[in-house]
Amino acid sequence: MTESFHRSGEYENPYEGQQQAPVNPEWPPPPAYAPAPAPKKRNRGPVALLAAVAIVAAAIGGGTAYGIQELTGNDTVASSSTSTNVVPSAQKGTVAGVAKAVSPSIVEISAASNAGSATGSGVIITSGGEVVTNNHVVAGASQIKVTTSDGKSYSAKVVGTDSKKDLALIKLQNAAGLKAATLGDSSGLQVGDQVVAIGSPEGLSGTVTSGIISALDRDVTVPTDEDQGQQPQQGDGWPFEFGGRQFNGDTGSDTTTYKALQTDASLNPGNSGGALIDMNGNIIGINSAMYSPTGAASSSSDAGSVGLGFAIPINTVKADLAKLRAGATD
């Protein structure tokens, strides 16, 4: 309101005589709040799908190979191109941790044939009972018995063999829920890497030894003859040839040579087909041969390990698996 001031000191009210508003008017109530907008529906289209895929990929990258196996069926091999941590973090890098984590995946194999009987080892690669071992363990076998680490026994049948690589795939009958090993990557191994071997030397199932990778790409020659593979346990079994010399018996005329990992982890007859494992619990080789300086004339009691053992690299096994599953017998 505008007011003017006269010299008499009185104010002049320009609105005098008009109806005036109350001195203390009541303000009108505030307008009601508008309702909050309804939440927008989240986009469940390609963006959400890509996010889900990214999460799954991250989980796989973290080493959930066992989970992949369980989701895709009993006949899927748990395989890793990098080092998967199979051993719990509290025991990572220890022999005890590796033994505890992997021993349930290693079996003892007893094979009988007309030539006698043989004891070897094997590695469970699927929960449904597929087992990888050496060809010379089951070659010519008419009956195969497999015993798991918990003492359960199964009959087994040969699925396929590859005598050139000294590999065989057998399948346990009526088996389910077995603990499959994780197959690692042998291409990145270095001399000096620590390893653990698990097998059944001389029928002593579940035996654990440890050492290092002593050398890579060693040429190892082993027999492919069925009668050489099936030697009695008390004889000079596990024939092996290295550098033109033969050890643990005559290798015969039919042999094969392959590139092997050399280890000083103690191996003895019966370790054939067992596992050579890295310190994260990944299978990086299948034990296949040992060096013994005693020769064919010595008794088995004198033919112990001297720290020169050999294993088939696991990448060779993985490359051969499809052929073995297809029933190859050469």
Side-chain angles (χ1 to χ4, degrees):
M1 177 184 296
T2 304
E3 298 176 334
S4 59
F5 183 76
H6 293 273
R7 291 183 181 274
S8 61
E10 295 179 354
Y11 288 99
E12 180 182 2
N13 185 351
Y15 295 102
E16 186 176 356
Q18 298 183 19
Q19 186 178 359
Q20 299 182 23
V23 176
N24 296 313
E26 293 183 2
W27 298 104
Y33 289 108
K40 295 182 179 180
K41 292 184 179 180
R42 301 183 69 178
N43 187 356
R44 305 293 292 179
V47 174
L49 178 60
L50 288 174
V53 171
I55 293 172
V56 172
I60 294 173
T64 54
Y66 180 74
I68 297 171
Q69 173 186 328
E70 290 302 304
L71 289 172
T72 54
N74 289 343
D75 290 333
T76 301
V77 178
S79 180
S80 174
S81 59
T82 57
S83 185
T84 301
N85 291 325
V86 179
V87 181
S89 57
Q91 294 183 301
K92 183 180 177 181
T94 67
V95 174
V98 172
K100 183 177 181 180
V102 184
S103 288
S105 302
I106 311 303
V107 299
E108 178 182 314
I109 299 175
S110 299
S113 73
N114 294 333
S117 62
T119 298
S121 307
V123 178
I124 300 171
I125 62 169
T126 64
S127 60
E130 286 185 329
V131 172
V132 168
T133 186
N134 287 140
N135 174 65
H136 74 257
V137 171
V138 297
S142 57
Q143 184 177 3
I144 301 173
K145 175 185 175 183
V146 174
T147 304
T148 55
S149 64
D150 58 3
K152 293 182 180 179
S153 294
Y154 299 86
S155 295
K157 299 291 185 183
V158 174
V159 176
T161 61
D162 187 345
S163 61
K164 301 300 181 185
K165 296 182 176 67
D166 196 20
L167 289 172
L169 180 69
I170 64 175
K171 180 69 180 290
L172 278 56
Q173 305 298 298
N174 303 316
L178 302 179
K179 184 174 181 180
T182 298
L183 307 186
D185 181 5
S186 54
S187 65
L189 293 175
Q190 300 181 52
V191 173
D193 284 347
Q194 290 183 297
V195 290
V196 173
I198 304 179
S200 300
E202 304 294 351
L204 301 174
S205 61
T207 296
V208 177
T209 58
S210 64
I212 63 169
I213 296 292
S214 303
L216 304 171
D217 297 326
R218 291 296 199 198
D219 287 326
V220 170
T221 302
V222 295
T224 58
D225 305 70
E226 291 184 359
D227 59 344
Q228 291 291 339
Q230 294 292 335
Q231 292 199 21
Q233 182 176 333
Q234 297 301 318
D236 290 317
W238 206 352
F240 162 68
E241 179 180 313
F242 185 73
R245 300 174 61 195
Q246 295 179 348
F247 304 94
N248 298 96
D250 183 7
T251 57
S253 58
D254 192 0
T255 62
T256 185
T257 301
Y258 55 82
K259 297 290 185 180
L261 305 172
Q262 181 182 323
T263 178
D264 68 349
S266 180
L267 300 179
N268 290 283
N271 274 113
S272 288
L276 192 65
I277 313 156
D278 69 17
M279 299 309 290
N280 288 323
N282 301 284
I283 311 299
I284 48 90
I286 299 297
N287 298 322
S288 58
M290 57 166 280
Y291 174 98
S292 177
T294 55
S298 300
S299 66
S300 60
S301 61
D302 297 327
S305 171
V306 293
L308 291 174
F310 301 89
I312 302 167
I314 201 63
N315 286 8
T316 300
V317 179
K318 291 192 291 187
D320 209 36
L321 193 54
K323 177 180 179 181
L324 295 173
R325 279 179 160 171
T329 55
D330 57 354

